[in-house]
Amino acid sequence: MITSKIISNGILRALATIIVILSILYFLYEIQTVIVYLCISLLLCLLANPLIQFLKNKLKFSNSLAATTALILFILSIVGFILLFVPLIITQANNLSLLDTQSLQQQFIETEKSIEAYFNIQNVDLNKVLKDSKITSIIDFTYFTGFLNSILGFMANMGMGLVSVFFITFFFIKDQESFKVTARKILPDTNEDKIINSITKINHFLTRYFIGLLLQLTVVFILYLIVLVIFGNKNAFVIAFLCAILNIIPYIGPIIGTTLAGILTMISMIGSDFQTEILPKTIYVIIGFLLVQAIDNNVSQPIISSKSVNSHPLEIFLVTLISGITFGIVGMIIAIPVFTMVKVILKEFFPNNKIVSVLTERI
């Protein structure tokens, strides 16, 4: 028989459960930066695994030496990536210096006069309107100071983040075998094999996925480079590389890359005639990039992505689209890896479920 005491105890247990869950979620929200560091470190560890195995098995490196070598290579890659864009920045700055500033100033003055003449025709005293609106009192000139402080803060946080990520990654790589042994001791005996199998399969599929992604970006980079070289674009290698990296963001990244390529193409030709040289060449570059994207979206991306994670191309498209609508750009980037992890876990723990068996039949 259900009594008031049983009902009250159930309500109290439900409230306690809700409070515990909310507390955990709040705690995770507060340490979200640390969680991001851990995720990035795990990703770097995953990418470094083939190199680590080669160093340890073929060259007989110790765990510490192999981890140190991998981190040094990561740091050199980041430094090389940054230095790669220095010539591009210098070149574009030199091109901008060729602008006819006097002509631009004259155009600005003429535009200003046209605006004033328009308001005078409409019997509107522009100076009085500006004075009455007290627009100068509205403008916050401390914005520039705040902007500078935000840049310095961003650089400091970025530096701290890199140090933290590399520190965590070092121990992930160095002590990963010890972590596996410890995990086996902590995991419940009833689900130990399932959890270990899930982790092994996830590691396998994600390694294949990132190798496939690297292959896809390489194909896109080569095609971009061919387009830029054909039309004689300066710094073709750097621009193609940057636009290929932006392809990591599904659907939106290629649009940003095409826009960026068009802008850099126009800047690189400052001083030439706009109608006969700058505009036609920019249009040709954009058309070339659109053709590359058509090839990538309809051929290389579906095939490589679906083969690497054993998923149907339509399945990948829908998951990426839903994740992008729900979580934005970050969701689009992590959609396929997270979806693959979920599929592996579901197949391992619920293999007899009909829906799960249909979704995971390729795994």
Side-chain angles (χ1 to χ4, degrees), residues 320-336:
T320 304
L321 184 62
I322 294 171
S323 183
I325 294 173
T326 308
F327 301 105
I329 293 178
V330 176
M332 298 178 74
I333 295 174
I334 66 173
I336 298 176

Side-chain angles (χ1 to χ4, degrees), residues 23 29 287 301:
S23 300
Y29 174 78
I287 292 175
Q301 183 177 358

Side-chain angles (χ1 to χ4, degrees), residues 37-38 40-42 44-45 67-79 158-174:
Y37 291 165
L38 290 172
I40 296 175
S41 298
L42 286 172
L44 292 178
C45 182
T68 303
T69 303
L71 284 184
I72 291 174
L73 291 176
F74 279 135
I75 294 172
L76 291 177
S77 299
I78 293 174
V79 172
M158 180 66 71
M160 183 64 185
L162 287 175
V163 172
S164 301
V165 166
F166 285 136
F167 183 81
I168 297 171
T169 304
F170 174 79
F171 288 101
F172 274 178
I173 296 174
K174 175 179 174 293

Side-chain angles (χ1 to χ4, degrees), residues 259-295:
T259 305
L260 181 62
I263 293 173
L264 293 177
T265 299
M266 296 182 69
I267 294 176
S268 66
M269 298 181 64
I270 288 177
S272 304
D273 184 74
F274 181 80
Q275 292 185 348
T276 60
E277 295 186 35
I278 297 179
L279 184 59
K281 184 171 289 187
T282 302
I283 293 175
Y284 294 150
V285 168
I286 292 175
I287 292 175
F289 270 53
L290 292 176
L291 290 175
V292 172
Q293 290 169 21
I295 295 172

Side-chain angles (χ1 to χ4, degrees), residues 8 26 41 93 96 116 135 152 192 200 238-239 285 299 302 309 311:
S8 61
Y26 177 75
S41 298
L96 288 174
E116 291 181 355
I135 192 170
L152 295 175
E192 178 181 336
T200 303
V238 180
I239 297 174
V285 168
V299 181
V309 295
S311 297

Side-chain angles (χ1 to χ4, degrees), residues 100-115:
D100 189 351
T101 55
Q102 292 183 351
S103 175
L104 288 177
Q105 184 178 8
Q106 184 63 32
Q107 291 179 9
F108 177 79
I109 293 173
E110 292 177 357
T111 303
E112 184 182 7
K113 290 180 178 179
S114 299
I115 294 173

